[in-house]
Amino acid sequence: MSSLFPNKHPRRADASPSISLERGGYRMRSTRTTGPIPRLELPGTPMPSLRHRPRQPAGYRWNFSLTVLLAFLSISCLTCFAFAYYLFTSRWELISWDKHADLRADRHLQATAPRPHNTTPPGLLPGHKYLAYLPHSGFNNQRIALENAMTLARLLNRSLLVPPVRFGAKPIRYLPFTTLDHSLRLAASDGLEHCGDIPPYLTLPVDCLDHSDSTLVSWNTLFNMSQIEKEQNLIHLDSLSPIRYLDTLTSQPDGVLQLRDESPYNFRFEDGAHSSLSKYIESIPIEQLSDIQHTVLQFGSLFGTTRLALGVQGSAALLRIRRMMVLENPTLNAIVDAIVLRLGGNSYIGLHLRIGDGTFYDRKEITIQESWRFLLQRAGCSDLEIEGISRSYGIQLPLDSFRRFPLDAEPTTFQSWSQSQHIRHSSPSLCALSTPIFISTDSKNPRTDPILLPFRQAFPSVRFLMDFQDQLKPLRAVVNTDGVRLSNYLEPLVDAMIVARADSVVGTSGSTFSKFIIEILRPAYQSNRIYI
């Protein structure tokens, strides 16, 4: 049966030749071929390939570039790590002391020998019992804890393991027993003795970056403890933690007994004195501690002026120890003598003014008012004169400011002021304000502090420690055996010694350091005073 549609391919080979010839197709088109068209090639001339390469999508090209970039960054990172590891492992090999032999320091460097680590710590005595404690906080708190520890050791007939005093930019605050003990062990600088020997022109290694932030000084370097050591056995440690001694003594049959506190006022120790616990949680009789047979009795914190509630015998022991804790160091003594000489001799008033931190900062306005009145009282001014002078300098005195400061003696008559070379007021009625004044304060810059402006205006002869830079030069050169400079840590002690050398002293209410200056240092210096 024939198709209803005309043939769509009249020129195909299988079409009817008659029809093709009849329509003249042979004249219009050549026969269609299925093979490739032959290329025309000239002799000696290569023809370019005409094969079409498909175009890659844009996403493919982006992934390829990103892969190359990641590979480059990975190789660079590995190279940097390898170079850093090489520098770390060979950092000591790069330091050549001989290359810097031509450089000279401005003073002799003090080398520090490594501490010997003996298997048996020095000072241990067979058959002896020992007492240990954990120090914390600043210098004065450590001093109070040491006095309490020496008193307990004396009453319990035990040898005391004395940790050194720690000076630091950041004190180790109180922590519960276990945590504080761990912190003191970590504070050890064993293995860092080389840090003090590195000259200032070399870069410090990583393990020495914080080396100068704190240092340890033996108590008998700052205090003359020879008389105390004649009366009881003290073993001075070279670290804050007594771990070396505890490791040795734990092997003994009785071992170590630890009285672990959980708060700063956990335990108080009584010796025949019956009083309320006040802020302490638990009271332990010292007689009960005497029955303990362990080789080492270790306490946590012993800081606190009311930590010991003592009877007559115990109070006498504590008072005797406190009176023997007097700052006495040849270098500090020489600096204080030079400054007292510049002040015109001992005839000046010393003021210890603490207003820089804690509760003392919160009540600094009251402290300024009290100190102002006490200074005018020491200068011999009457209450009526004090009121008039206070109004003229804008000082508003509270009604209860007329009470006497309880820590010092009566006002002293200064007969040598008229012969001194200090600046004096022109008005005869204000001659008392020409009294030489030395102010020890924790203010950052007392010469510009606005709160001290009335003192600077009313007393033309007021002086601060910063005014004696020439006399303080020897202090700048004081270096501890570990290479740490001690000037910043010793300046408050020099401050206190100058105040204590005055004819009359004014302290800050509530300050235990003011009590130390007035009750301990001042009587000791007054009894051995050399008038200048």
Side-chain angles (χ1 to χ4, degrees):
M1 182 175 180
S2 61
S3 174
L4 297 178
F5 298 96
N7 195 340
K8 296 180 180 180
H9 305 285
R11 293 178 301 277
R12 293 183 56 176
D14 57 351
S16 173
S18 60
I19 295 177
S20 299
L21 294 174
E22 183 180 324
R23 297 180 178 178
Y26 65 99
R27 295 180 180 156
M28 295 183 292
R29 297 178 178 84
S30 62
T31 304
R32 180 179 180 86
T33 61
T34 57
I37 300 176
R39 308 294 184 192
L40 178 63
E41 297 183 4
L42 299 178
T45 305
M47 291 294 294
S49 175
L50 299 180
R51 181 178 298 175
H52 177 70
R53 180 173 298 176
R55 182 178 180 84
Q56 299 293 346
Y60 175 83
R61 296 196 303 274
W62 168 254
N63 291 338
F64 178 77
S65 302
L66 184 61
T67 303
V68 174
L69 178 62
L70 291 178
F72 174 76
L73 292 178
S74 300
I75 296 174
S76 301
C77 184
L78 293 175
T79 304
C80 292
F81 274 115
F83 186 66
Y85 177 77
Y86 170 76
L87 292 179
F88 177 79
T89 55
S90 60
R91 67 189 188 278
W92 294 115
E93 298 174 2
L94 297 178
I95 297 178
S96 176
W97 303 96
D98 296 336
K99 292 181 179 179
H100 304 281
D102 56 331
L103 300 177
R104 295 292 182 266
D106 56 353
R107 59 176 181 81
H108 294 290
L109 296 176
Q110 184 176 6
T112 305
R115 297 171 182 170
H117 294 279
N118 301 325
T119 55
T120 301
L124 290 181
L125 301 174
H128 273 235
K129 295 181 180 180
Y130 301 90
L131 187 146
Y133 70 100
L134 303 179
H136 62 86
S137 303
F139 167 81
N140 195 52
N141 290 6
Q142 295 178 62
R143 179 191 61 84
I144 294 175
L146 174 60
E147 293 175 350
N148 291 337
M150 289 191 292
T151 304
L152 278 177
R154 182 172 297 195
L155 296 177
L156 298 176
N157 195 25
R158 287 177 175 266
S159 299
L160 179 63
L161 303 179
V162 182
V165 57
R166 179 185 183 272
F167 292 111
K170 295 182 179 179
I172 298 178
R173 63 183 181 90
Y174 169 80
L175 297 167
F177 183 96
T178 304
T179 309
L180 181 57
D181 181 46
H182 183 66
S183 298
L184 296 180
R185 295 186 188 186
L186 294 178
S189 59
D190 295 343
L192 300 179
E193 292 83 5
H194 61 277
C195 295
D197 300 334
I198 300 177
Y201 48 77
L202 293 180
T203 303
L204 290 175
V206 177
D207 51 352
C208 295
L209 293 179
D210 299 331
H211 178 66
S212 60
D213 290 347
S214 64
T215 187
L216 305 178
V217 179
S218 177
W219 287 99
N220 51 17
T221 301
L222 303 173
F223 295 83
N224 184 3
M225 305 181 67
S226 57
Q227 185 60 37
I228 299 178
E229 293 177 336
K230 290 179 181 178
E231 300 177 4
Q232 63 183 115
N233 186 34
L234 304 179
I235 300 176
H236 294 274
L237 309 180
D238 57 3
S239 64
L240 297 174
S241 174
I243 183 62
R244 289 179 58 202
Y245 288 81
L246 299 184
D247 288 345
T248 302
L249 298 173
T250 302
S251 60
Q252 298 188 9
D254 294 326
V256 179
L257 176 63
Q258 295 177 332
L259 191 62
R260 301 185 178 184
D261 51 4
E262 296 296 332
S263 68
Y265 300 105
N266 204 152
F267 302 113
R268 189 179 66 171
F269 308 100
E270 293 184 350
D271 180 25
H274 300 283
S275 59
S276 60
L277 289 177
S278 61
K279 55 188 175 183
Y280 292 93
I281 301 174
E282 183 179 352
S283 180
I284 299 178
I286 295 180
E287 183 179 0
Q288 181 179 344
L289 298 177
S290 301
D291 298 333
I292 296 177
Q293 299 302 318
H294 289 73
T295 304
V296 181
L297 177 59
Q298 185 180 17
F299 298 93
S301 172
L302 287 180
F303 164 70
T305 55
T306 58
R307 175 77 61 176
L308 306 181
L310 304 174
V312 177
Q313 181 182 359
S315 298
L318 175 59
L319 182 58
R320 179 171 177 79
I321 289 174
R322 290 192 65 202
R323 287 178 174 174
M324 289 187 288
M325 289 290 291
V326 179
L327 285 168
E328 186 175 337
N329 176 275
T331 302
L332 301 186
N333 291 343
I335 295 173
V336 172
D337 289 340
I339 294 177
V340 170
L341 182 63
R342 287 293 306 274
L343 286 170
N346 302 98
S347 296
Y348 61 92
I349 299 177
L351 170 60
H352 179 253
L353 191 61
R354 184 176 178 184
I355 56 175
D357 60 347
T359 58
F360 296 98
Y361 179 82
D362 298 335
R363 63 185 305 270
K364 61 181 179 180
E365 299 291 344
I366 299 176
T367 300
I368 291 296
Q369 295 170 357
E370 291 180 348
S371 301
W372 173 266
R373 166 164 291 283
F374 299 147
L375 273 181
L376 294 178
Q377 287 177 345
R378 296 303 180 269
C381 298
S382 64
D383 291 343
L384 184 60
E385 291 173 330
I386 292 175
E387 287 293 337
I389 296 173
S390 301
R391 283 195 300 269
S392 64
Y393 285 98
I395 298 294
Q396 300 293 330
L397 295 178
L399 296 177
D400 61 347
S401 66
F402 284 89
R403 60 184 178 83
R404 291 284 183 177
F405 192 70
L407 300 179
D408 198 6
E410 292 298 316
T412 306
T413 302
F414 296 89
Q415 300 178 354
S416 61
W417 291 347
S418 59
Q419 301 174 359
S420 67
Q421 299 178 357
H422 293 281
I423 304 173
R424 302 181 63 83
H425 279 283
S426 58
S427 174
S429 61
L430 299 179
C431 61
L433 299 184
S434 299
T435 304
I437 308 292
F438 180 83
I439 299 180
S440 168
T441 179
D442 54 356
S443 173
K444 299 300 182 183
N445 194 340
R447 276 292 169 196
T448 59
D449 195 335
I451 200 169
L452 299 178
L453 181 61
F455 295 96
R456 299 194 300 267
Q457 290 180 337
F459 298 93
S461 295
V462 66
R463 295 291 181 269
F464 304 95
L465 187 64
M466 61 185 302
D467 298 327
F468 301 94
Q469 296 300 320
D470 291 340
Q471 288 72 30
L472 290 174
K473 285 182 179 179
L475 196 64
R476 307 284 184 258
V478 177
V479 180
N480 201 7
T481 54
D482 58 0
V484 178
R485 294 182 178 272
L486 295 176
S487 57
N488 291 337
Y489 306 125
L490 297 181
E491 282 185 359
L493 305 186
V494 173
D495 241 352
M497 294 172 69
I498 298 173
V499 173
R501 290 274 294 270
D503 255 342
S504 187
V505 178
V506 177
T508 300
S509 298
S511 170
T512 56
F513 201 50
S514 288
K515 294 186 65 175
F516 173 62
I517 293 172
I518 295 173
E519 295 182 356
I520 305 301
L521 295 184
R522 183 170 181 264
Y525 296 158
Q526 291 288 327
S527 61
N528 299 319
R529 171 181 292 185
I530 300 176
Y531 286 87
I532 301 176

